[in-house]
Amino acid sequence: MTYVMDLGDVDRNDIAGVGGKAVGLGGLIRAGLPVPPAGVVLTTDAYAAFVADNKLGEAIQELAGLPPEAAAEDYEHASALIRTLFSKGAMPPRIRAELEAAYERLGGGDTAVSVRSSATAEDLASASFAGQQESYLNVRGMDALAKAVINCWASLWTARAMAYRAREGVPPAQVRLAVVIQQMVEAEAAGVMFTANPSNGRRDQTVISAAWGLGEAVVSGQVTTDDLTVETRTGKILARQTADKELMTVPTENGTAEEKVAEARRRAPVLDDAAAAELAAHGQRTTEHFGSPQDIEWARAGGRFFLLQSRPITALPEPAGDVPTEWPVPYPKGLYFRASIVEQMPEPLSPLFADLIDGSVSRSISALMNQALGGHPLREGDVRFPTVNGYAYYYYRTWPMLRMTARTVPAMSALFRGTAHMGVAGWRDYSHPGYERIIKDWSTKPPAGLSGADLLAGVQALLDAGTVYYTAVQSIIPLADMSELSFRGFYKTVRRRGDPPAQQFLLGFDSEPIRAEKSLYDLAGWARSDPSLVSALLESTTAELAECLRTGSAPAGVDGVLWQEWRIAFQEHLDLYGHAVYNLDFATPVPADNPSAQLETVKFYLRGQGTDPHERQRLLTERREELTRDVAGRLRPRRRALFLRVLRWAQETAPVREDALADVGLAWPLLRRFLRELGRRLVASGVIAEADDVFWLRFSELQGAVEFGLAEPEAGIALAGASRPVRAAAVEDRRMLWRGQSKAAAPQMLPRKAWMEKAFGSMMPGGPQQQAGGVIKGTGASSGRVTAAARVLRGPGDFGLMQPGEVLVARMTTPAWTPLFAMASAVVTDVGGPLSHSSIVAREYGIPAVLGTGVATQRLAGGQTVSVDGDAGTVTII
C-alpha cells in the first residue's frame, strides 16, 4: 500500500484519502497558481494504520463519543487521554520509510517543511472545520518530522475539534486525518484572503488580512493585521486599515516564535496597492478554478506570492450594497414622513412596486383629502409618495400642508358623517364593497388567457383599488384611536384604586386576525381526529407539507381521501384569510402563496402548546361584561349613561379597525398571480431568469416588454444572441442594492432638522434612533413583564426561526403576523404605539408589548436574553 501522494497528483476524487486541504492544494497546482515548489500528502490510510498498529481505535471511540451537550471539562479530559495515547504510539516502519523517501524528495537533511492537517470532514463547503487541528512550521530533520506528523494526527482529537464535530453531527468514526507536508516558505509577510467580502457577500470584492512574518499567527488571531478591501476586477483599493503591528511570528531553529516588529515597520503597510492587486488577481483565478468564492492562506517571500491552501467560504451572505448613510430628498421645499401607510412598508421597496405605488398613492390621498377638506386644497405634485434609499415616504409641499392643517374642522366632520370613503359607514357601505367588486371583475379572467397588455392593466387596476381602499382605511384609524382615547380619559374620572386598566374593557371582541387564529386552531383540532394525520403534520417539514398542499399528494402514511379533506379545509382557510399582507410591497408573498407560518401554527397547536382561542375569548368576554356591570352599577344615572355610551363607541370601533386593515391586501393574491404570469412569459422570452424577477424590473422595462410583444400568452418572441437573460445583471444589481438598503435605519422624518423632531417627533410611530446603553425605551402597549430570549424577525422568510416562549422582535407587525403572537411571550417593535395592531393583539393574548422603540431590530440579536416591561415601556438587555 502507498501512503504518500504528490500534491500535484491529487484531485477531487481523492477527498476521502487526502482530505480537503490536500484537494485544495492539488487544484491550485493544476490551475497553475503559485504554491510552494514541492509538497506531498500522507494519506488517511497512514493514520488508520498508526491507530490499528498501536491498538488505539476502541479507546478513541469510547473516549470521543461524548454528546453535544457534554461539559467543556469532559471534552478536555477526553482529549488529554487520547493525545497521551498518540504520544506513546510508534510510527509503523512501512509508513516511516515512505515518509523518509518523501522528505528526501523535498530536500532531506535539515530542509525546513510545514506540516498541516487535512481532515476528511474539513474544508468542505457545507461546514467550516477550519482551524480545528494543529499545524507545525519550520520542522527540520526526519525525527522532528515523524513527531510532528504524530502530533498532527493527535490534534484530530482536541477538545475544540471534538465538541465542534459533535455539534455538527459528525460521528467520531467518520473522521480521519491526512497530513500535508510542503517545503517551508520563510515568509516576510503572510495572511488570509477572502475572494468575496464576508461582511456583505459581495463577490466583486476581495478582502485581505496581512501581517509581517509567518501566517499561522494571522490565522489564529494572535497578531494584529492590516486589512484591505480590493475591487477584484480592477484591483482598486476600496478600503485600507493599517494596524500597529507589535508582534510577528518568525522561524527558529526547529519551530517558530514571536518577536517584536521593528519600530520602522510597525505602522508601515505590509502590502502596497500594486501587491494587493496582484494577490487579489491570484484569488480571482482561484475562485474561477474552483467555481466558488475561496478562503485562502498566502505568504510572500522574495517579492513572490505563494498560496498555502484554499477552501470554500462557508455561510457567505448574499451580496449586499453599501448601507446608506446620507438621505438626499428628491423634491425640495417639502416635508417627508414615514407614517400611516408607510408602517406597512418596513423595508425598502422593490423597484416595480416603488414605480407603481407612487402615482397610485398620490392620486388616492389627494382625492380623499380634497373630499374631506373641501375647496381642493391639494393640487398635482402637492402630495407624493417617493422613495429615499429605497424607503417609502409621504411627501407634502410645505404650504399645501399648512392649508390642510387649517381645514381640520371640516375633515373631522366628514369623518363622523361617514361620506364615501370616509369613516366607518363609508368603509362599510362604499369602500369595502367597491374593492371587492373590482377584484371579482378581474378574478373571472384566467391569467393564462390574458394578453400582456391586459395583465398589466389588471395589475394597475388592482393596485389602484388597493390604495384607494387603504386611503379609506386611514379615515377609520383616527376614529378608532379617538374612541379608545375618549374612553380611557373618561374611565380615569371614575376609576377607583384596585380597578383594572381601561384595556380590560376592550378585550374579547372578534376581529379578522382573531378569526384567522381560531380557524388554524380548529384545523389542528380537525387533524387530531386521526393519529396518522397528526404524525404526518408534525413529522414532515413545513416545506414538505407546503408541497403536498400544492400538488395534492398525501404525506407518507396518510390516507389519500383523508388528506384531501384536510387539504380542502386548509385551502378554505387560505381563501378567507390568505390575503393578509406581511408587507404591502407585492414582491413579498402572502399566505395564499406561502402558508409556512400558518402550517407552523397548526403544528404549534398540535403539540399541545398555546391556549384555546375560543376559550380565551369567552373568558375575556365574561371578564369584560363583569367589569362593565361593576363600574356601571356604582355610577349615577347620567354618568352611567355617558360611561356606557363612550365604552360602546370604543368597543364597536376598535374591531372595525382590525377588520379594515386585515383586508388591505384583498387584491394581492390575484395581483401577484398576474405579475408572476407576466414573469413566466418574460422568462420564456429571455428577459429575466426567474418569474419572481419581474418584481425587480422598473415599470418602464415591463411596459416596454409588453409593448414589444414579449409577454403574450405563447411568449412566441424570444430575444436572441444573449448568453443570459438581458435583464439578469440589472436584477442582480437591484437585489444587491436592496440588501444593503435593508440594513439601514430609515429616518422617520426628512430633512433631518431639530425643529422637525420638536414639531412632529411625538406624532411619529417609532422612537428615537439614537438610543444607547442597555435599556431600550419605547411605549408600553400591553401590561406585564417577561424575561426570555429575543427572536428578531425581518419578515415571513424568518418565521420558521420563531420558537415558543421567545420575545418576538420586528420592525412592525400587520394582521398577517398574528399566528406568531400565539407562540410569543412578548412583542417588541421599532414602529407602533398603544393603539396599533401590535398592541391590540398583544392585549388579547395577555402578553407584554413595548412598541415604537425605533431601534430594537438594530440593537438586539437573536438568542439574546431581554427583559420586556410592558408597563414601563422598556426592553432591558440582560
Side-chain angles (χ1 to χ4, degrees):
M1 178 181 291
T2 299
Y3 294 105
V4 174
M5 292 180 66
D6 287 335
L7 287 174
D9 296 332
V10 171
D11 63 30
R12 185 70 187 176
N13 296 326
D14 299 314
I15 182 74
V18 302
K21 189 177 278 95
V23 167
L25 285 165
L28 293 174
I29 293 170
R30 285 193 304 281
L33 287 154
V35 297
V40 299
V41 57
L42 194 61
T43 68
T44 58
D45 288 332
Y47 168 84
F50 176 86
V51 170
D53 283 17
N54 289 281
K55 298 180 172 55
L56 304 181
E58 186 175 335
I60 291 173
Q61 296 308 310
E62 182 178 345
L63 290 168
L66 294 170
E69 63 273 13
E73 52 266 30
D74 293 334
Y75 280 109
E76 292 287 353
H77 179 67
S79 174
L81 293 176
I82 294 173
R83 298 184 78 171
T84 298
L85 293 174
F86 271 83
S87 67
K88 293 179 178 179
M91 183 174 287
R94 59 192 184 281
I95 298 176
R96 184 179 175 99
E98 282 202 43
L99 182 61
E100 191 164 358
Y103 185 45
E104 286 298 321
R105 296 200 300 275
L106 298 180
D110 64 348
T111 300
V113 294
S114 63
V115 179
R116 290 188 171 93
S117 65
S118 184
T120 53
E122 162 183 71
D123 297 346
L124 303 180
S126 57
S128 178
F129 291 81
Q132 301 297 331
Q133 285 79 52
E134 294 173 4
S135 297
Y136 300 89
L137 302 183
N138 199 36
V139 177
R140 297 174 182 270
M142 184 59 209
D143 290 341
L145 175 57
K147 182 179 179 181
V149 167
I150 293 174
N151 287 339
C152 213
W153 284 336
S155 73
L156 187 61
W157 306 104
T158 62
R160 180 182 176 216
M162 287 193 294
Y164 189 89
R165 290 195 297 266
R167 290 195 301 272
E168 293 294 322
V170 180
Q174 184 177 320
V175 293
R176 298 165 79 186
L177 193 69
V179 178
V180 170
I181 304 162
Q182 294 174 282
Q183 281 186 354
M184 180 72 183
V185 176
E186 295 191 7
E188 61 209 29
V192 176
M193 170 171 55
F194 293 91
T195 65
N197 193 326
S199 64
N200 60 22
R202 294 281 294 269
R203 274 63 168 176
D204 58 347
Q205 295 178 358
T206 297
V207 176
I208 299 170
S209 293
W212 299 118
L214 303 179
E216 289 305 304
V218 176
V219 176
S220 61
Q222 295 175 359
V223 298
T224 55
T225 62
D226 290 355
D227 296 313
L228 302 92
T229 302
V230 183
E231 187 177 59
T232 305
R233 184 178 59 84
T234 64
K236 178 183 177 182
I237 306 301
L238 301 175
R240 176 190 286 275
Q241 291 183 333
T242 303
D244 181 357
K245 299 168 285 293
E246 183 180 0
L247 297 174
M248 62 189 291
T249 304
V250 297
T252 59
E253 185 175 343
N254 201 324
T256 62
E258 287 187 356
E259 69 175 33
K260 289 190 174 183
V261 177
E263 186 65 30
R265 302 175 74 196
R266 281 181 55 167
R267 295 171 184 82
V270 175
L271 300 176
D272 61 21
D273 290 4
E278 179 187 348
L279 181 58
H282 290 317
Q284 178 64 17
R285 286 180 57 200
T286 305
T287 294
E288 291 170 355
H289 175 76
F290 287 110
S292 65
Q294 297 289 299
D295 170 2
I296 299 169
E297 292 179 26
W298 60 271
R300 195 181 194 207
R304 294 180 58 201
F305 283 109
F306 296 93
L307 307 187
L308 306 180
Q309 72 175 70
S310 183
R311 55 177 164 255
I313 301 176
T314 58
L316 188 65
E318 291 186 283
D322 295 332
V323 180
T325 55
E326 301 294 326
W327 296 83
V329 296
Y331 309 116
K333 298 180 181 179
L335 305 178
Y336 295 73
F337 299 97
R338 278 187 58 75
S340 186
I341 191 174
V342 181
E343 294 178 50
Q344 311 295 314
M345 303 175 195
E347 298 176 320
L349 305 187
S350 61
L352 184 59
F353 185 75
D355 286 351
L356 288 171
I357 197 68
D358 183 3
S360 188
V361 168
S362 300
R363 290 189 297 272
S364 64
I365 196 70
S366 295
L368 181 73
M369 288 293 185
N370 285 333
Q371 174 189 336
L373 301 176
H376 294 277
L378 293 180
R379 303 178 182 88
E380 185 177 351
D382 286 348
V383 177
R384 294 179 182 268
F385 200 68
T387 60
V388 183
N389 288 327
Y391 288 88
Y393 282 84
Y394 271 120
Y395 162 79
Y396 298 94
R397 280 183 181 160
T398 308
W399 285 111
M401 186 175 182
L402 294 176
R403 288 199 300 270
M404 285 192 297
T405 305
R407 293 174 177 265
T408 302
V409 173
M412 297 303 297
S413 175
L415 275 180
F416 284 100
R417 287 198 313 271
T419 56
H421 288 312
M422 294 290 287
V424 173
W427 167 78
R428 182 184 58 243
D429 301 332
Y430 191 86
S431 305
H432 197 277
Y435 191 22
E436 289 184 309
R437 188 165 51 252
I438 292 172
I439 296 168
K440 184 178 180 181
D441 288 345
W442 281 100
S443 65
T444 60
K445 305 170 184 178
L450 293 175
S451 68
D454 285 341
L455 285 172
L456 197 54
V459 167
Q460 292 179 305
L462 292 167
L463 182 65
D464 283 346
T467 55
V468 168
Y469 174 82
Y470 191 92
T471 303
V473 172
Q474 297 304 292
S475 70
I476 294 177
I477 293 174
L479 285 175
D481 292 352
M482 281 189 287
S483 70
E484 184 169 337
L485 290 172
S486 297
F487 171 70
R488 287 173 180 267
F490 184 83
Y491 181 64
K492 283 182 181 179
T493 68
V494 301
R495 184 181 181 184
R496 294 176 178 176
R497 184 182 297 274
D499 280 352
Q503 67 189 44
Q504 293 293 318
F505 293 85
L506 305 176
L507 301 179
F509 290 97
D510 245 357
S511 64
E512 193 81 345
I514 300 301
R515 288 190 289 272
E517 178 204 4
K518 290 177 180 177
S519 174
L520 291 173
Y521 182 85
D522 293 342
L523 281 166
W526 196 103
R528 286 195 189 95
S529 64
D530 187 273
S532 67
L533 183 54
V534 172
S535 296
L537 290 171
L538 290 179
E539 294 172 10
S540 301
T541 67
T542 303
E544 290 169 345
L545 291 174
E547 182 65 13
C548 289
L549 288 170
R550 187 184 68 82
T551 63
S553 59
V558 178
D559 176 73
V561 174
L562 177 68
W563 172 251
Q564 289 303 325
E565 291 175 352
W566 193 86
R567 176 174 174 257
I568 290 169
F570 189 86
Q571 185 58 51
E572 288 174 351
H573 169 88
L574 294 180
D575 291 342
L576 286 172
Y577 308 110
H579 58 269
V581 295
Y582 304 107
N583 179 337
L584 271 177
D585 189 335
F586 50 49
T588 303
V590 292
D593 300 313
N594 181 3
S596 297
Q598 288 66 33
L599 289 169
E600 286 292 340
T601 303
V602 170
K603 288 184 174 187
F604 174 74
Y605 285 131
L606 282 176
R607 297 188 192 103
Q609 298 169 309
T611 58
D612 178 348
H614 299 281
E615 181 65 9
R616 185 189 70 231
Q617 292 293 98
R618 186 186 68 79
L619 293 174
L620 288 173
T621 300
E622 288 182 357
R623 173 65 172 157
R624 181 191 73 226
E625 292 175 351
E626 179 187 350
L627 292 173
T628 302
R629 286 193 298 269
D630 289 347
V631 174
R634 69 176 187 238
L635 298 177
R636 293 181 178 181
R638 281 191 174 182
R639 288 178 70 80
R640 180 168 58 245
L642 184 56
F643 168 76
L644 292 175
R645 183 178 178 182
V646 176
L647 175 60
R648 191 159 45 247
W649 182 33
Q651 290 175 337
E652 290 174 352
T653 310
V656 172
R657 175 189 185 279
E658 290 298 289
D659 287 343
L661 280 173
D663 277 354
V664 169
L666 206 57
W668 263 231
L670 181 59
L671 192 158
R672 281 179 48 83
R673 283 201 292 275
F674 279 16
L675 282 170
R676 296 190 82 253
E677 176 63 28
L678 284 168
R680 279 188 287 271
R681 298 179 189 181
L682 295 184
V683 170
S685 294
V687 177
I688 53 179
E690 298 178 5
D692 280 358
D693 288 350
V694 70
F695 301 113
W696 298 88
L697 295 177
R698 308 295 336 186
F699 176 68
S700 60
E701 295 168 343
L702 179 58
Q703 189 176 41
V706 168
E707 292 174 352
F708 197 68
L710 300 175
E712 294 312 302
E714 68 280 0
I717 301 175
L719 297 175
S723 58
R724 60 187 305 210
V726 293
R727 295 295 178 194
V731 166
E732 290 170 6
D733 288 345
R734 290 166 192 168
R735 287 183 188 272
M736 184 172 69
L737 176 66
W738 183 93
R739 294 185 195 107
Q741 293 172 335
S742 68
K743 297 177 183 179
Q748 295 188 88
M749 298 172 287
L750 291 173
R752 288 190 279 194
K753 303 288 186 182
W755 70 266
M756 282 192 66
E757 181 65 37
K758 187 174 182 179
F760 302 108
S762 61
M763 306 177 196
M764 292 296 101
Q769 296 171 333
Q770 291 76 39
Q771 296 191 49
V775 178
I776 300 171
K777 296 179 180 179
T779 300
S782 182
S783 297
R785 295 176 181 83
V786 162
T787 298
R791 177 60 60 190
V792 181
L793 302 180
R794 306 292 175 184
D798 294 340
F799 282 8
L801 303 175
M802 185 76 187
Q803 298 298 313
E806 293 181 327
V807 175
L808 169 59
V809 182
R811 284 187 170 179
M812 61 93 208
T813 68
T814 66
W817 291 65
T818 302
L820 296 180
F821 282 65
M823 303 184 192
S825 60
V827 177
V828 176
T829 67
D830 291 345
V831 172
L835 305 177
S836 67
H837 161 78
S838 302
S839 65
I840 292 169
V841 178
R843 294 197 299 253
E844 289 283 345
Y845 280 87
I847 59 177
V850 176
L851 311 180
T853 64
V855 296
T857 58
Q858 302 283 328
R859 294 281 311 281
L860 300 178
Q864 195 171 28
T865 301
V866 296
S867 181
V868 181
D869 189 330
D871 298 293
T874 58
V875 181
T876 304
I877 302 171
I878 306 298

